[in-house]
Amino acid sequence: MNFSVSGNNNGQIVGKDAYYSTKTDRNEVAGEILKSQGGGKKYGFDSGLLVQMSVQQQMGGTIPELKQNITNANVKIGALTSLTSTMNTFLLQTVEKLSDASFLSGFDVNVSDKLAASATVNEGANITKATQYSLNVTQVASAQTLTTGEYDPSQPIGKGSMEFSLGSYDSAGKFSDNWQGGGGLIKVDETDTVSSLADKINDANMGITATVITTPSNKQRLAIYSNKTGADHAINIKTTKDSALPINNIDSFNYNGTNTATFTEKVGADNSKFSINGIDFEYTSNDIKDVMGLDLKITGKTTTPAAISVSQDTNTLVGNVQFFVDNFNSLMDVTSFLGNPSPGEKFQGSLHDSKVLKDLKQSLSDMDFELAQNGNSLEDIGIKTDEKGYLSFDRNKLEKSLKANPQIINDVLLNKNHSTTHAISIKEIGNTKTGGYYTQNGKYDVEITEKSAPAKLHTGSVKYPVSINATNSTIKMTINGIKVDIKMQEGKTYDADQLALEISNQINRNDAMKSKGDGVIVKSQSDGSLELTSSKNGSKYSFEVDEDNKSLGFTTTLTKNIGKDVAGKINGVHALGDGDALSSMFDKSTKGLVLNISSNVQIGKPETITIQRGYLTSIKNSMSYMINNDKGVVKAAIKDYEKSLDTNSLDSLVSKLDAAQDKSDKLAKQYWGKYSHVESALSRSSSIQDMLDVMYFPDKKDK
C-alpha cells in the first residue's frame, strides 16, 4: 500500500498490517546495492536479506505502526470535518429556520385589507383559539422629506457650515434633539453646488440621506430625508455663514420645522397611529411587536376597519414538524455511516465506538429527558425516538394535540421563558454547561431592591441671552470618563434652548462618545440652569466639570454625579447590577441569567420568572458548542489529530516517523558494514575450508 503523510486511503481506516510488507524507498535502494555485489548468493548467503532482517529485528513494527496511525489520523480528520459540516448545515437550515416562531405558530393570520397591514401572532402571545380583531389605521409612520427649489448645476450655494440634528418639534415649534437620532456638522466651500452638498451629507453618515433631482429644464433640486420614521426623527438645520464673502446665501438653508423659501416639507415626520378593537396606539415605527398578541406591519390607512382573522393552520404545522424529523434523521444517517462497525471508503466506520458519537447521542438523549422533566416531551407532538436515535412521526397524534393546545409545538420546540411582570424581562440565559454559565430550567423569584438611574448634572443659573467670547467659548468636562471639550463660536449669542442644543450636539457628536454609543440629553430649566442627563442608566455614566466657566453656569464646585445600577436578588441570591441589567453569577441554578429591569418596576415586590428551553434551543446550544468551541468534543478531536500531524512538533507522529526512518537508515548502513566483508570474502573463497573459515572463524589468520 502506498503511503503519504497527507493521504487518507480514500477515507478508509487502515488495518494494523497494512504497511508491514511495504519497503521504504531508501531500503529498496539499499537492497539493490547489496544485490549488485553478487558473489555470496551462490554460496547460499544473502547479505541484503541479513541486513533487512537485522534492521527489522531492531526496529520492530515502529515504522508500519506510525504510518498506520498517520493515515488513520487523516481519515478521522476528514470524518470529523464531514460531521461538522453536516451538523452545521442541520443547525442553519433546520434548527435556525424553525426557531422563528412564525414557522411553528398554531395560527394563520389574515388581514382583510392587504394594503393597510400584515400581521402574525407574537411568539409569546397567549392565544388559544380562533380570534377576530378590528383594525383601523389613521396614520402611517413616515420619515421626514424636505426638498429645495431649483438651482443651476454649477450654482454655488455659499460658504460656511451646516449643522444637522434629528429630534422632535413640540406644538409651539420648539425643537428637542434626539441624541440617538444622528446628525452632524459639515463644512460648505464656496465652490459647493447642490450636487456636491448632497455628497457631503451622505458621506457624513448622519442618519440623513440626500439626493439630487434633475428637472426637465436641466435644473437641480436637493431632497433630504431622515433614515428613520417617526416624529422623533424630524430634521433641524442650523447654518453658520462665512461673512468674508460678499455674496453668500448659505443662511437660506436654515430649517426649524416650518417651510422656508429654500425648503419645503414633502413628507412629515409622523408616527403610526391605529386602533385595535377601539383601543388607540401610537408608535414611531410601522413594525410593531406584541400589540394585543399580534406583531403588525402597518403599510397604509384604512377607509373602513379591516378585519384580522386568526385561525388554526394545521397542515403547515404538520409539514414543518415532518421537515424537522426528516432532516434530523438525515443527520442520524451520517452518524450511523461514520459509526458503522465495518470500515469502508468515504469515512465509513471511521468514528466507530468514538467518544464524539457517544457524546452526541448522549446529549440528544439528555435533551429529551430534560424536556420531559419540565412538563413537555417530543411525544406530545407525535415524535418518538428509537434505540438508534432516529425519530418517527405520528401525524394523527399531533393533529389531536393541536386541537387541545394550538401552541403545543411552540411549547415543545421553542423556549417558554416568562416573567410575571412586563417590568422584568429575560435578556439572556446561560447556555454553556461546560463553561459554567448554565441557567437551569425552572421558576425563580426576583426581587428588586433599588432602581437604576442616569447620571445628572445641574448647572448654575444664567441670564439669557448669553454672548460667547474668548473667555467663555470652551466648556471642559469629563463625561463617562471621556475628556470632552465643548467649543462654541465666538461672537454668537444664545438663548437657553439654543445653548442646550449646542452643548447637546457637541457632546453627542464627540467621536469617543459615539464610538461607545453613549449620549447626553441637555434641557434648559425655568430658573436659567441646564440639566444634563446621561442617555443610559448605570454607574459607568458620570458628569464632572474640569474648569470653571461661570458665565455659562459650569463650575468645578458642582458635585460629580454618577448614575446608579439596578440592585436586587435572583433566586434569593444577590445579583450583579450593570445599568438596567441584573445578572446572576453566584447562584448555581440561575448562573448566566441576565434580566432587563425597567424603570416602572416595583421595589420590594417579589416577581417570578420561568426558564424553560425548547428542544430546538437545546440542540442549537449543544451542537454549536461541540463544533465551534475549542473544548467541544468535535472541534477538540480535530485539533488533537491535527496536532498529531504537525510537522513542526517533535512529539507529532510525522516527526516520530522521520526519526524512525533516519534510525532505520543508520542501522542499514551499520549492518551493511558488518556483512559486506563476509560476502566479499566468500566471493574470493577457493575451497569449502576457506568458506567455513570466513563464515565461522572470521578471526582466523592466514598462515
Side-chain angles (χ1 to χ4, degrees), residues 134-395:
S134 177
L135 171 69
N136 188 35
V137 180
T138 56
Q139 184 169 285
V140 179
S142 57
Q144 187 179 39
T145 302
L146 308 175
T147 61
T148 68
E150 296 183 352
Y151 289 82
D152 288 326
S154 60
Q155 179 181 348
I157 60 176
K159 184 180 181 181
S161 63
M162 289 185 181
E163 187 171 20
F164 293 81
S165 302
L166 290 171
S168 58
Y169 293 93
D170 63 17
S171 57
K174 178 182 175 181
F175 179 76
S176 297
D177 180 56
N178 171 10
W179 71 270
Q180 291 180 316
L185 184 72
I186 62 172
K187 298 293 184 182
V188 182
D189 299 323
E190 56 189 88
T191 57
D192 277 325
T193 63
V194 166
S195 179
S196 62
L197 176 60
D199 290 339
K200 287 187 173 182
I201 292 172
N202 292 331
D203 291 343
N205 192 26
M206 299 183 291
I208 297 171
T209 299
T211 187
V212 175
I213 304 166
T214 301
T215 67
S217 59
N218 289 324
K219 300 284 189 177
Q220 290 183 335
R221 299 169 63 194
L222 178 69
I224 62 174
Y225 56 89
S226 169
N227 293 347
K228 292 185 177 181
T229 61
D232 61 349
H233 280 78
I235 298 171
N236 180 277
I237 306 172
K238 183 172 61 176
T239 65
T240 300
K241 184 175 182 178
D242 186 340
S243 57
L245 291 179
I247 300 176
N248 192 347
N249 296 319
I250 192 173
D251 51 2
S252 68
F253 280 77
N254 282 307
Y255 181 81
N256 62 358
T258 57
N259 291 340
T260 66
T262 300
F263 282 114
T264 301
E265 182 184 73
K266 294 297 183 182
V267 179
D270 294 325
N271 294 334
S272 61
K273 295 181 180 180
F274 58 92
S275 64
I276 297 179
N277 293 353
I279 303 173
D280 292 329
F281 297 92
E282 182 174 353
Y283 291 86
T284 60
S285 171
N286 291 312
D287 293 312
I288 302 112
K289 296 290 185 182
D290 196 15
V291 182
M292 298 180 69
L294 298 175
D295 292 340
L296 290 176
K297 184 176 180 63
I298 302 298
T299 52
K301 296 180 181 180
T302 54
T303 53
T304 58
I308 302 178
S309 303
V310 180
S311 58
Q312 199 170 43
D313 182 16
T314 303
N315 288 334
T316 300
L317 285 172
V318 171
N320 285 336
V321 174
Q322 184 69 64
F323 170 78
F324 169 75
V325 170
D326 290 344
N327 289 351
F328 182 95
N329 287 339
S330 294
L331 172 62
M332 288 297 100
D333 285 340
V334 173
T335 61
S336 295
F337 180 81
L338 297 176
N340 194 306
S342 301
E345 294 186 349
K346 298 181 180 178
F347 311 118
Q348 177 179 318
S350 53
L351 298 181
H352 174 63
D353 204 31
S354 70
K355 175 176 170 55
V356 170
L357 296 187
K358 288 179 180 177
D359 281 10
L360 175 58
K361 290 181 179 180
Q362 185 62 51
S363 175
L364 293 171
S365 176
D366 289 346
M367 291 176 209
D368 203 2
F369 176 78
E370 187 172 336
L371 192 65
Q373 290 291 98
N374 288 281
N376 294 113
S377 71
L378 291 176
E379 290 194 22
D380 293 339
I381 56 174
I383 297 176
K384 284 186 177 182
T385 307
D386 67 19
E387 67 278 2
K388 294 182 179 179
Y390 282 84
L391 302 181
S392 61
F393 177 44
D394 185 341
R395 176 191 179 104

Side-chain angles (χ1 to χ4, degrees), residues 96-107 120-124 295 317 320 407 410 414:
E96 287 285 356
K97 181 178 180 179
L98 294 179
S99 293
D100 181 343
S102 63
F103 284 96
L104 298 176
S105 173
F107 296 97
T120 57
V121 173
N122 179 264
E123 180 180 351
D295 292 340
L317 285 172
N320 285 336
Q407 297 290 346
N410 279 19
L414 301 182

Side-chain angles (χ1 to χ4, degrees), residues 31 226 465 476 483 617:
S226 169
K476 290 183 176 292
K483 296 289 184 181
T617 300

